Amino acid sequence: MLASVGVHTAEDSAAAPAVNRLVIRADQGKTTISRNIYGHFSEHLGRCVYEGYWVGEDSPIPNVRGIRQDVVAALKRSKTPVLRWPGGCFADEYHWKDGIGPREKRPAMVNTHWGGVVENNHFGTHEFMDLCEQIGCDAYISGNVGSGSVQEMMEWVEYLTSDASSPMANLRRQNGREKPWKVRYFGVGNESWGCGGNMTPEYYADQFRRYNTFVKNYGDSRLYRIACGASDFNYNWTEVLMARVGRRMDGLSVHYYTIPTGNWGRKGSATDFGEDLYHATLRRALEMETVVTKHGAIMDQHDPQKRIGMIVDEWGVWTDVEPGTNPGFLYQQNSLRDALVAAVTLNIFNQHADRVKMANIAQTINVLQAMILTDKEKMLLTPTYHVFEMYAVHHDATLLPTELQSADYSYGQDKIPAVTVSTSKDKSGRIHATFCNLNPNAVAEVNCALQGAQAGKISGRVLTAPTIQAHNTFESPQTVQPASFSDFKVQAGGFSVTLPAKSLVALEIE
Ligand code: AHR
């Protein structure tokens, strides 16, 4: 990193021009960035599933078989690759047989984790698989270890994926689905160290081995089996799972949330914050680098070939709920700050694409760091949605190695790099670079050396806004949205780009 250019105050960092250098090794890529890094997570929580996706067949809101179409269209447009469901904590109290058959006959339950509301089970297995088919994404199902049984999990997998004439496959046919679905990803428990059963890693490792034995591959179905992983910096959990489960799993999860204040009791507002909490939030988000590197190093010791994927299946900003809303519904607004958190985090995942094979931001609609907010028939796209749409260029592209020297963005005693980046080459040979300038007070000029390729034509898009708190509302849904961008110059050996303050910029280089 270059010497710090901002020192302690906003005024200082506004005055100091940032000097940043990037080298892109355009001829040295060998790792594919899995499109699943851009995955989502949707739980039976607040208004995510009900109202968010599910409005019912009789709703005046345009829907196909009860699933609202504005939401499906938006998620298709941003190329959603995979969707995790039904939880979260809810998954370990969900009994899938309550969510099949005629809707009026499905038993209701109380969602004890999230608001104590009645869950009528109208959105179940068939509705979820229909949703995935409508979006065109893969399904990632989270099975119940905490309060379920081996038999229940075994039967769910049979119901979903078997084409035999067997009890569960026949029950599926009776409920209107002749052919099995294509389910690729299956999670065995969620947060088993906490809401999923308060287990020790040793106990959970044995539970995984037992449950997984009965999670069968039917016909040509080959499930990618994901074991419940650690929270944050709990490296012992990863060590125990790698040692005791090892080759029996395909993926090991990890959860890391960004809490603006770092205090779960008072997390901070989604929109009412100053530069202190803006800086702190981004600093905490950048800790994802430590999480991925350190869990990855433990995985490397047991799995140097990197066969087992790191699956970051819950991440994102978690703030206090919007005033006046049900605290159990986790409804929060989404600002330019959230967009920058998403952008730096996705840059980190891209850079670690050799190990990170999937990530699922929490949660898609109306909950935590959402892509979409709804209010009855109205729907808006959040700043975070736009990041996912702009970054879709990296899906299944080849990661290009980079070296970045960034100036610092300082606030008080704390400093973080002002600039982050990731670059890839897509199948048609175009290079994509996604830059963030986290400094809200100064532009960042980046001199980019392009090795092994020539910059011919460059085009760009930018996401920024007049303030770090800017967000979209139902009255003003386009306050934060991408715009075209042209503040770059082709020069000998590469190009330079001037990133606006508090922005993310996506460049395409041909
Ligand atoms: O995403 C909200 C909750 O956070 C999930 O249900 C749980 O897995 C995590 O603690």
Side-chain angles (χ1 to χ4, degrees):
M1 198 174 293
L2 292 179
S4 175
V5 291
V7 188
H8 293 320
T9 67
E11 290 70 34
D12 285 345
S13 58
V19 182
N20 310 282
R21 291 195 189 93
L22 175 70
V23 178
I24 304 173
R25 304 205 185 276
D27 51 356
Q28 288 184 22
K30 52 179 196 295
T31 303
T32 300
I33 298 173
S34 170
R35 64 181 183 280
N36 290 334
I37 282 176
Y38 296 83
H40 296 290
F41 164 44
S42 295
E43 179 167 13
H44 287 237
L45 195 178
R47 298 188 300 112
C48 183
V49 167
Y50 299 104
E51 291 188 43
Y53 294 113
W54 182 255
V55 289
E57 287 165 335
D58 300 331
S59 170
I61 298 172
N63 70 84
V64 170
R65 294 181 292 280
I67 296 168
R68 62 187 291 174
Q69 289 304 285
D70 49 358
V71 162
V72 168
L75 294 176
K76 274 173 93 126
R77 211 161 47 241
S78 61
K79 302 195 169 73
T80 297
V82 62
L83 188 54
R84 177 175 184 248
W85 172 87
C89 296
F90 181 79
D92 279 294
E93 63 180 41
Y94 182 62
H95 300 284
W96 69 272
K97 282 186 186 164
D98 293 345
I100 56 170
R103 282 189 204 105
E104 65 286 359
K105 292 202 177 138
R106 296 184 193 175
M109 65 181 281
V110 173
N111 189 332
T112 63
H113 275 293
W114 304 119
V117 292
V118 173
E119 157 69 58
N120 64 15
N121 276 306
H122 282 194
F123 189 91
T125 300
H126 291 250
E127 291 78 12
F128 173 67
M129 294 308 300
D130 189 14
L131 171 66
C132 291
E133 287 179 346
Q134 290 189 35
I135 297 172
C137 70
D138 273 325
Y140 169 11
I141 294 210
S142 228
N144 180 346
V145 170
S147 71
S149 66
V150 170
Q151 180 175 359
E152 187 181 12
M153 189 181 286
M154 181 172 85
E155 289 183 340
W156 200 6
V157 171
E158 182 191 333
Y159 188 91
L160 285 159
T161 61
S162 171
D163 203 13
S165 180
S166 68
M168 290 303 116
N170 289 338
L171 181 59
R172 182 193 68 232
R173 292 187 186 99
Q174 198 180 308
N175 288 330
R177 173 81 186 195
E178 178 57 32
K179 286 283 159 201
W181 291 282
K182 291 234 172 305
V183 176
R184 176 88 178 104
Y185 302 99
F186 196 87
V188 179
N190 168 75
E191 296 196 350
S192 303
W193 37 263
C195 65
N198 281 302
M199 302 175 199
T200 64
E202 291 80 9
Y203 181 80
Y204 172 74
D206 286 347
Q207 290 298 304
F208 179 91
R209 291 167 68 121
R210 175 165 171 250
Y211 275 71
N212 184 50
T213 305
F214 302 95
V215 169
K216 309 269 179 171
N217 288 324
Y218 294 96
D220 59 4
S221 160
R222 291 288 169 273
L223 288 172
Y224 184 99
R225 294 134 196 278
I226 299 170
C228 163
S231 165
D232 307 337
F233 311 103
N234 182 353
Y235 302 115
N236 180 52
W237 186 280
T238 299
E239 176 61 46
V240 173
L241 267 284
M242 289 302 292
R244 297 195 177 204
V245 174
R247 63 176 179 77
R248 291 178 173 82
M249 61 185 164
D250 299 303
L252 178 60
S253 75
V254 60
H255 290 180
Y256 178 73
Y257 284 101
T258 298
I259 312 300
T261 58
N263 172 357
W264 283 89
R266 282 182 74 88
K267 304 178 197 73
S269 161
T271 51
D272 187 9
F273 55 85
E275 190 178 342
D276 52 345
L277 278 182
Y278 167 82
H279 190 280
T281 303
L282 288 159
R283 181 168 49 77
R284 294 181 204 287
L286 287 165
E287 282 289 297
M288 184 65 91
E289 175 69 37
T290 310
V291 169
V292 168
T293 303
K294 292 203 171 166
H295 285 288
I298 295 166
M299 294 176 80
D300 285 350
Q301 280 164 18
H302 296 267
D303 174 35
Q305 305 302 319
K306 299 189 194 284
R307 188 196 65 81
I308 300 171
M310 185 186 296
I311 310 294
V312 190
D313 55 16
E314 289 187 32
W315 68 274
V317 179
W318 192 327
T319 68
D320 292 335
V321 298
E322 285 304 297
T325 65
N326 186 331
F329 281 14
L330 310 186
Y331 177 73
Q332 64 191 47
Q333 250 293 356
N334 193 292
S335 69
L336 180 64
R337 177 181 70 172
D338 297 74
L340 290 168
V341 167
V344 298
T345 307
L346 292 169
N347 279 345
I348 292 169
F349 292 154
N350 287 346
Q351 299 283 11
H352 289 275
D354 58 345
R355 181 62 84 179
V356 178
K357 297 298 174 192
M358 190 197 294
N360 310 75
I361 189 169
Q363 298 192 7
T364 326
I365 314 175
N366 295 330
V367 170
L368 300 180
Q369 191 175 349
M371 307 293 116
I372 292 172
L373 302 179
T374 65
D375 179 13
K376 303 185 187 70
E377 77 291 350
K378 292 189 210 150
M379 180 198 91
L380 66 78
L381 304 176
T382 65
T384 299
Y385 172 92
H386 294 305
V387 178
F388 274 72
E389 185 271 317
M390 290 169 74
Y391 272 59
V393 291
H394 291 304
H395 290 199
D396 295 330
T398 303
L399 175 71
L400 297 180
T402 49
E403 282 148 39
L404 173 69
Q405 288 186 304
S406 167
D408 289 332
Y409 160 40
S410 301
Y411 191 89
Q413 299 302 312
D414 292 321
K415 47 185 176 180
I416 57 177
V419 176
T420 87
V421 72
S422 64
T423 62
S424 68
K425 190 187 275 188
D426 69 20
K427 294 203 169 64
S428 60
R430 284 185 291 252
I431 293 171
H432 297 278
T434 45
F435 293 91
C436 303
N437 176 15
L438 304 182
N439 192 330
N441 307 308
V443 301
E445 187 175 341
V446 190
N447 287 313
C448 307
L450 191 55
Q451 296 192 349
Q454 288 218 316
K457 194 171 142 233
I458 302 184
S459 55
R461 292 168 81 202
V462 63
L463 189 72
T464 187
T467 65
I468 50 182
Q469 302 85 0
H471 55 279
N472 295 333
T473 63
F474 294 103
E475 293 69 44
S476 182
Q478 291 176 350
T479 301
V480 187
Q481 61 169 339
S484 66
F485 175 82
S486 57
D487 206 354
F488 48 76
K489 269 198 301 271
V490 176
Q491 57 192 28
F495 61 94
S496 68
V497 55
T498 303
L499 310 172
K502 52 177 161 30
S503 74
L504 67 106
V505 166
L507 295 185
E508 180 174 289
I509 303 136
E510 293 181 70

